């Protein structure tokens, strides 16, 4: 018989705290650079920017479509 245990990510405020500090962001950036490589980084950032612009325009179009 298996038992299931719930794991909670709630902090002292009752919600998950997902804020990153400067040192955490620097570490994440360093890991990305090592994994992806310096040569591929400009291409990766261009793709991320393009995806963010598309997402923003689609969200704006949905918001305008929902207006009465």
């Amino acid at each position: 018989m298996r038992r299931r245990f719930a794991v909670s990510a709630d902090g002292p405020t009752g919600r998950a705290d997902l804020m990153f500090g400067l040192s955490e962001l620097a570490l994440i950036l360093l890991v990305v650079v090592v994994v992806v490589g310096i040569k591929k980084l400009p291409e990766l950032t261009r793709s991320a920017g393009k995806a963010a612009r598309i997402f923003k325009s689609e969200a704006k179009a949905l918001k305008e479509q929902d207006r009465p």
Side-chain angles (χ1 to χ4, degrees):
M1 181 173 184
R2 285 184 145 169
R3 291 186 182 187
R4 294 184 184 183
F5 295 99
V7 177
S8 176
D10 292 346
T13 60
R15 61 179 171 80
D17 293 328
L18 297 176
M19 300 300 292
F20 295 114
L22 187 58
S23 60
E24 288 88 358
L25 291 176
L27 182 63
I28 291 170
L29 181 62
L30 180 66
V31 169
V32 167
V33 168
V34 169
V35 170
V36 173
I38 298 285
K39 293 181 179 181
K40 293 276 186 176
L41 197 59
E43 182 182 331
L44 180 67
T45 55
R46 262 186 250 115
S47 298
K50 187 176 181 181
R53 283 191 297 275
I54 291 171
F55 180 76
K56 186 176 177 181
S57 67
E58 291 295 326
K60 184 178 178 181
L62 283 174
K63 188 182 283 187
E64 288 177 358
Q65 187 179 26
D66 287 343
R67 289 185 182 170

